[in-house]
Amino acid sequence: MNVGSSTVVTLEYVLEVEGEEIEATQEGEPVSFLYGHGHLLPRGLEVAVHSLPSGAFEKSLRPEEGYGPYDPERVSTADRGDFPPDAGLEPGSEFYAQEASGSPVAVRVTSVEGDRVTVDANPRLAGKTLEYRGVIHRVREATPEELDHGHAHGEGGCHH
Ligand code: ZN
């Protein structure tokens, strides 16, 4: 069976970007996901393992297949006074802001110069090539109960 919608995937993986480890499961501790149901998997990983059988895998995703191209227009500069007083305005800090459309967007501070704060609303991995590798231990069909709950169950059913 191959990874696809409504399967439960048990895997270990490492994500590297530009030679740096970004995410990884604990060595020897595979995780199980219900595939294709919302945001249970990081977006890139969901693309990387789609339609794979169990076994070792290695997959490189172009930015367009992962978190999209880097958009310079999503970088903006604002006055310190435009932020809540308790916002940690230091390079690297992250918070949610509101887009013009009203939907929340995660932004991070890239620089602070005097009263001017530059924030970037691109996903952290936008514009990056994602290098995934790992081992798919098992792929099985999701049970009706798992589909109903929208997540994978471990041995012995639902524990929440
Ligand atoms: Zn459940």
Side-chain angles (χ1 to χ4, degrees):
M1 171 157 236
N2 293 12
V3 177
S5 194
S6 303
T7 60
V8 171
V9 189
T10 302
L11 54 67
E12 291 177 78
Y13 76 97
V14 177
L15 166 61
E16 279 187 6
V17 171
E18 293 163 358
E20 190 189 335
E21 189 177 301
I22 304 290
E23 296 166 9
T25 50
Q26 296 284 331
E27 177 104 44
E29 292 181 26
V31 291
S32 294
F33 296 100
L34 175 60
Y35 187 89
H37 282 254
H39 305 289
L40 300 175
L41 283 180
R43 176 163 36 160
L45 181 62
E46 195 154 83
V47 176
V49 300
H50 184 258
S51 82
L52 294 181
S54 55
F57 70 96
E58 208 173 318
K59 182 113 179 177
S60 174
L61 300 187
R62 288 175 288 113
E64 305 79 66
E65 299 172 292
Y67 292 87
Y70 187 83
D71 180 0
E73 292 193 357
R74 304 197 77 190
V75 177
S76 58
T77 301
D79 279 322
R80 192 179 276 274
D82 295 337
F83 295 88
D86 59 347
L89 297 180
E90 283 170 20
S93 59
E94 293 189 346
F95 53 93
Y96 281 87
Q98 233 173 30
E99 280 198 287
S101 65
S103 51
V105 59
V107 301
R108 71 189 169 279
V109 175
T110 55
S111 75
V112 181
E113 284 172 38
D115 268 351
R116 304 297 286 165
V117 179
T118 303
V119 297
D120 189 342
N122 281 288
R124 182 179 286 280
L125 297 176
K128 307 283 191 192
T129 295
L130 311 178
E131 310 277 356
Y132 281 100
R133 64 172 194 279
V135 180
I136 297 174
H137 290 249
R138 190 173 176 215
V139 185
R140 65 168 170 83
E141 220 160 320
T143 65
E145 192 186 41
E146 286 172 322
L147 292 173
D148 189 43
H149 290 196
H151 55 231
H153 290 163
E155 302 295 327
C158 191
H159 293 294
H160 60 85

